[in-house]
Amino acid sequence: MSSGPVSALTVQEPSHTPRPALSRSVTGTLNGSSSSLTLQAKKNTVLKSHGRPPWYGEDGKPICDAFVIGIAGGSASGKTHVARRIVQSLGSIPTVIILSQDSFYKRHTPEEIELAHASRFDFDHPDAIDMPLFASCLADLKSCKQTNIPIYSFTEHQRLDETKYLYGAAIIIAEGIMALHDPTLRALYDLKIFVQCDSDLMLARRIRRDVKERGRNVDGVLEQYLRYVKPSYDNFVLPTSKYANIIVPGSDNNVAIELISTHIRRQLNERATRLRQHLVGPRDLISQSAIPLEAHSNLALLPQTPQLKGILTKLRDRTTKRGDFIFFTDRLSTFLAEKATEFLPYKPRSVVTQVDATYNGKEIAAKCVCGVSILRSGGPLEQGLRRVISDIRMGSLLIQSEASTGEPLLLHLLLPTCIRDRKTAQDTWVFLLDAQIGTAAAAFMAIRVLLDHGVLPEHIIFVTFLVARSGGIHVLQRAFPGVRIVCAAIDDELREMWLPGVDEGDGKAVTEGRKAWVVEPGMGHIGDRYYL
Amino acid sequence: MVLENAPSSQTTPAALPPSVFTLPQTAQLEALYTIIRDKDTSRGDFLFYSDRIIRLLVEEGLNHLPVVPKTVETPTGATYEGVGFEGKICGVSILRAGEAMEAGLREVCRSVRIGKILIQRDEETAQPKLFYAKLPQDIASRYVLLLDPMLATGGSAAKAVEVIKEHGVPEERIIFINLVRATPCEQGPRAGPPVCRELGRDLGLRSCAPARITTHHQIQGAA
């Protein structure tokens, strides 16, 4: 599947059979040399080069929307090529989605499907596309929310019941022949591009592609072209070029693409500068609050019993062996998880006991409960959560801080299905797990991700071993006052230091040394001690 | 130095002897009890949720063990004024129901030694009678966590405590852990005196439950 420009289509086509030529084409160019194939961007997928830097300010709110580009143009005019070249020339842009209009074909009636199979359905008409859905998905993505786009099967000529989850792109490129047709869609674009291509060239490309790659005969291709493709282009596609900010030639367009990507880069740079002004570096975080942390109603500290102090002593001790460390970590995480479940909602429930008496008890009133751990350090808390809710759905976020700036980067996310869907996310309670809250940068980002998905702040319970009194906890609480934090201890210090690499004594390094903010007295690097 | 009168996270209702500690009655705990009381609860769920309560009970029970101040150095070179565990422990389960609590105990106290006691009612005298006791050799030097999910008349519990004391364990080193306990006023006609009164300084840990459903039959059938 990876050979040839069609590979991009596999995202939305479950079957490998070439789709009928009647359908709208989205393949790339005729001159797609094999060397450029590796750089081809998959459609309807979040493409990442490196992690996603913060997209929100100190107040916890997103600072700017994603940058949205609309690319329209005739069939086989080279829209996808232009989109891919833009992505390619932007180089180090963290996250990009190329959204294809083809995903938004309407759900068809049986009669329409029959017509489609007989090549008598006009797929090139604007009415064939579910514009309101297209616009709402695009609007979600633009405002940094998740969306679930439909999947259209060209073999069945029908929209499938499954949807594809997309989240977290800084740049969105929507492309399709009708991309500039709908006024609601047009209102969403930051940049509108029309790919202008000579009709003869488009037809030539189309014939070559359909004959060579899809085994169609020339007569059939021409008939379809004359019946649907050409009238549609003249009546609906070409007129939308007047809405475009830039008209790009369909071939030899290197200069145009260079200009476009320069423009986009400048726009993104401006946004990044604005963002940096809003963001707080760890050094600014030392802003002591007047109220002691312990008095904060949304921070639940485990009762400081002798056993708890004993466990913490074991965990803090540098001489504690790995086996003991893991055992006591699991024990403490279980205890924390038990404490955290106290904050779930409960409702009355009557049951009949074995001796046929009625007992008026309670049950959890949350529709969906799941866990999300911030990797790697959140991992040690998973065991405890599973001991408390054995079948809990677990998701994860990989957030790492960038070595040079200390800025957190979202590298990967895998969320439970109940959060992926906006409707169920509202009724979902989430245990967010991380070993400690130091600068709170990762916690901040993780909470923002959950809020972007529609989880209510009051439904987020952050479970952690340690909170640094002088760290980012204050900023976190100010930005997200509804989020509850459950911790085992509050430590006084937070300082930046060089964490030396650990080696097993035989010269082989287990971890590399690195600069990091550490909580003190703390427990050292909990992830390293638990896993390495 | 041993810290005396270890503070506990628990409360003692006024009507109970001071040696009885009850877990905080949170909605979450109530929900756990609702599941294990429900006769339609599956065996797997019953075991899972009773284990959760047992873990909480054992964690609380361990708070009654002494600790000593201990200063440690953290991996980042800071010092921490903590505490170290003091004194060895062992578990003793009263067969058969007590065995159900062993897994929960082991999850909190790895590789803990567990002794067993079998007590049954003597059909002639109607008194609890010791049938079997296998206890760790050095039990006299240990703190004992006595495990039995149900406390109704307290007959077998009192007998078990007696046996453990005979093995040289002072009463104040016995921590009795149970899931449900009948309130004295609601006990049936055959009920003996409440065990905690009889045992004096023994620390009974319990979670409240209406007496009418806390018969031996129930737990033994279910566990």
Side-chain angles (χ1 to χ4, degrees):
Chain A
M1 279 328 290
S2 59
S3 63
V6 241
S7 65
L9 297 175
T10 54
V11 180
Q12 54 192 20
E13 281 183 284
S15 153
H16 295 176
T17 36
R19 71 185 161 168
L22 182 60
S23 58
R24 282 273 317 104
S25 112
V26 282
T27 46
T29 55
L30 292 175
N31 60 345
S33 66
S34 58
S35 64
S36 69
L37 289 180
T38 47
L39 292 161
Q40 282 196 344
K42 266 190 165 186
K43 285 185 196 174
N44 298 342
T45 306
V46 182
L47 307 163
K48 291 169 284 194
S49 58
H50 61 280
R52 184 184 183 198
W55 58 100
Y56 44 78
E58 191 189 339
D59 58 358
K61 299 195 173 64
I63 285 191
C64 55
D65 290 342
F67 191 82
V68 186
I69 305 162
I71 303 181
S75 170
S77 63
K79 299 181 295 298
T80 307
H81 178 66
V82 169
R84 287 180 180 152
R85 288 291 309 282
I86 292 172
V87 172
Q88 211 175 309
S89 68
L90 286 173
S92 64
I93 292 305
T95 44
V96 183
I97 294 176
I98 301 180
L99 200 59
S100 169
Q101 168 204 284
D102 289 7
S103 306
F104 296 93
Y105 280 127
K106 282 179 184 162
R107 198 177 280 280
H108 303 304
T109 61
E111 296 84 58
E112 286 171 338
I113 293 174
E114 217 168 283
L115 279 176
H117 282 293
S119 297
R120 294 278 169 174
F121 185 80
D122 189 359
F123 282 93
D124 293 72
H125 194 276
D127 289 349
I129 296 155
D130 192 343
M131 291 294 181
L133 183 65
F134 195 177
S136 82
C137 286
L138 196 57
D140 281 345
L141 287 173
K142 185 182 165 92
S143 57
C144 299
K145 296 173 185 168
Q146 88 273 38
T147 196
N148 292 282
I149 60 163
I151 300 173
Y152 188 84
S153 161
F154 286 98
T155 47
E156 291 168 41
H157 283 300
Q158 184 60 293
R159 184 184 288 177
L160 302 180
D161 290 330
E162 301 93 28
T163 54
K164 183 165 173 59
Y165 160 85
L166 294 173
Y167 169 73
I171 298 178
I172 301 145
I173 302 178
E175 62 92 28
I177 54 166
M178 303 292 170
L180 297 180
H181 187 271
D182 189 81
T184 334
L185 278 175
R186 285 200 302 269
L188 293 167
Y189 300 132
D190 296 292
L191 180 64
K192 296 185 277 282
I193 298 173
F194 188 87
V195 183
Q196 178 83 276
C197 192
D198 186 70
S199 283
D200 294 350
L201 185 55
M202 287 196 281
L203 178 60
R205 284 177 180 171
R206 194 181 172 93
I207 291 173
R208 188 196 285 184
R209 183 193 59 204
D210 283 2
V211 171
K212 265 182 110 175
E213 295 171 15
R214 298 176 185 177
R216 312 268 315 190
N217 63 52
V218 177
D219 285 347
V221 176
L222 283 176
E223 192 205 324
Q224 187 210 345
Y225 181 80
L226 294 173
R227 190 196 297 269
Y228 299 116
V229 180
K230 181 69 173 141
S232 160
Y233 182 72
D234 292 340
N235 295 330
F236 305 112
V237 182
L238 190 55
T240 62
S241 65
K242 67 170 181 254
Y243 301 114
N245 303 114
I246 304 171
I247 293 179
V248 175
S251 53
D252 297 329
N253 47 19
N254 289 340
V255 176
I257 283 164
E258 188 52 46
L259 285 171
I260 292 169
S261 40
T262 309
H263 171 76
I264 298 171
R265 256 197 301 266
R266 196 173 55 236
Q267 292 273 316
L268 292 174
N269 273 341
E270 268 171 38
R271 292 178 179 199
T273 325
R274 245 191 301 161
L275 188 69
R276 226 151 268 134
Q277 285 161 357
H278 280 76
L279 260 187
V280 270
R283 60 212 154 272
D284 308 322
L285 292 175
I286 322 292
S287 59
Q288 289 280 3
S289 158
I291 320 153
L293 273 182
E294 285 87 344
H296 215 285
S297 63
N298 272 352
L299 187 116
L301 180 65
L302 285 187
Q304 302 291 302
T305 60
Q307 272 296 309
L308 181 70
K309 279 205 103 177
I311 294 171
L312 285 170
T313 309
K314 276 273 185 200
L315 292 176
R316 292 176 191 281
D317 189 348
R318 73 188 308 165
T319 63
T320 297
K321 297 216 168 48
R322 229 174 70 85
D324 285 345
F325 186 84
I326 292 171
F327 174 79
F328 283 102
T329 303
D330 288 346
R331 191 174 148 194
L332 183 55
S333 70
T334 310
F335 216 33
L336 280 166
E338 287 286 357
K339 183 76 186 168
T341 54
E342 286 180 18
F343 298 106
L344 292 177
Y346 291 89
K347 63 178 182 206
R349 177 185 168 211
S350 293
V351 293
V352 177
T353 71
Q354 297 243 321
V355 290
D356 284 331
T358 307
Y359 174 74
N360 296 319
K362 286 200 169 69
E363 67 178 344
I364 294 176
K367 266 196 193 148
C368 183
V369 179
C370 69
V372 173
S373 59
I374 301 175
L375 296 178
R376 231 176 10 154
S377 297
L381 284 150
E382 285 180 17
Q383 172 73 3
L385 193 54
R386 284 201 197 277
R387 280 188 188 167
V388 171
I389 307 175
S390 57
D391 56 351
I392 193 164
R393 291 162 200 273
M394 291 293 304
S396 59
L397 296 170
L398 181 58
I399 298 173
Q400 294 274 292
S401 51
E402 198 177 26
S404 54
T405 59
E407 217 172 53
L409 289 178
L410 179 63
L411 292 175
H412 181 70
L413 84 167
L414 189 72
L415 295 174
T417 43
C418 49
I419 302 181
R420 288 177 174 213
D421 188 332
R422 209 160 185 82
K423 280 191 225 86
T424 50
Q426 288 173 345
D427 298 320
T428 300
W429 288 70
V430 184
F431 294 110
L432 195 53
L433 314 176
D434 197 6
Q436 56 189 34
I437 299 180
T439 63
F444 210 98
M445 183 175 271
I447 292 171
R448 187 62 249 166
V449 168
L450 294 179
L451 297 181
D452 282 348
H453 281 77
V455 178
L456 302 179
E458 297 75 28
H459 289 185
I460 300 173
I461 302 165
F462 199 105
V463 185
T464 184
F465 296 119
L466 302 174
V467 170
R469 189 185 302 281
S470 57
I473 182 76
H474 305 285
V475 186
L476 194 72
Q477 285 182 320
R478 209 179 311 138
F480 310 114
V483 173
R484 222 175 259 282
I485 298 162
V486 178
C487 68
I490 296 172
D491 283 11
D492 289 333
E493 293 290 325
L494 178 72
R495 66 186 177 95
E496 200 170 17
M497 68 175 285
W498 177 259
L499 276 182
V502 178
D503 67 66
E504 298 273 66
D506 53 2
K508 271 188 270 170
V510 176
T511 59
E512 281 176 25
R514 62 185 178 281
K515 211 172 166 193
W517 285 86
V518 297
V519 177
E520 285 200 324
M523 289 160 55
H525 195 291
I526 297 164
D528 283 0
R529 293 182 80 192
Y530 192 86
Y531 287 116
L532 299 181
Chain B
M1 183 190 76
V2 172
L3 302 176
E4 284 294 331
N5 294 328
S8 157
S9 63
Q10 315 309 324
T11 50
T12 307
L16 289 164
S19 62
V20 177
F21 297 85
T22 309
L23 289 182
Q25 300 294 299
T26 59
Q28 172 225 9
L29 192 67
E30 233 181 291
L32 293 180
Y33 273 101
T34 307
I35 293 167
I36 66 165
R37 286 178 199 278
D38 187 350
K39 71 172 179 183
D40 295 327
T41 295
S42 71
R43 208 182 118 76
D45 279 355
F46 180 87
L47 292 175
F48 180 78
Y49 289 102
S50 50
D51 265 0
R52 269 182 69 185
I53 304 176
I54 290 159
R55 258 187 335 242
L56 290 172
L57 287 166
V58 172
E59 287 284 2
E60 178 49 31
L62 293 174
N63 275 331
H64 297 270
L65 300 179
V67 288
V68 289
K70 184 182 175 187
T71 304
V72 294
E73 192 186 337
T74 71
T76 57
T79 51
Y80 174 71
E81 312 275 337
V83 296
F85 299 126
E86 177 81 357
K88 292 183 291 183
I89 60 165
C90 71
V92 172
S93 59
I94 301 178
L95 298 179
R96 277 185 326 155
E99 284 187 302
M101 300 175 73
E102 289 174 6
L105 176 65
R106 280 257 159 91
E107 274 183 46
V108 176
C109 311
R110 228 177 353 172
S111 65
V112 63
R113 287 165 206 269
I114 297 177
K116 310 237 184 202
I117 290 179
L118 177 64
I119 292 164
Q120 286 187 329
R121 208 163 65 100
D122 189 320
E123 292 305 330
E124 285 170 22
T125 64
Q127 290 299 309
K129 186 180 169 192
L130 176 71
F131 277 76
Y132 171 88
K134 197 83 181 164
L135 302 172
Q137 284 277 310
D138 55 352
I139 192 168
S141 66
R142 290 176 183 269
Y143 285 81
V144 177
L145 298 173
L146 180 59
L147 310 175
D148 194 3
M150 303 285 305
L151 178 59
T153 65
S156 48
K159 183 72 186 170
V161 170
E162 196 182 296
V163 172
I164 293 166
K165 277 163 77 177
E166 278 166 15
H167 281 77
V169 182
E171 207 169 85
E172 59 272 15
R173 285 209 191 164
I174 303 173
I175 299 164
F176 184 32
I177 298 177
N178 49 343
L179 261 87
V180 281
R181 173 184 179 280
T183 38
C185 56
E186 286 180 87
Q187 283 172 3
R190 272 215 314 255
V195 72
C196 20
R197 206 172 305 150
E198 185 174 291
L199 297 179
R201 288 207 52 213
D202 148 46
L203 296 168
L205 292 161
R206 60 139 219 161
S207 289
C208 282
R212 63 182 178 280
I213 61 160
T214 57
T215 65
H216 264 285
H217 285 299
Q218 188 204 354
I219 271 288
Q220 294 209 331

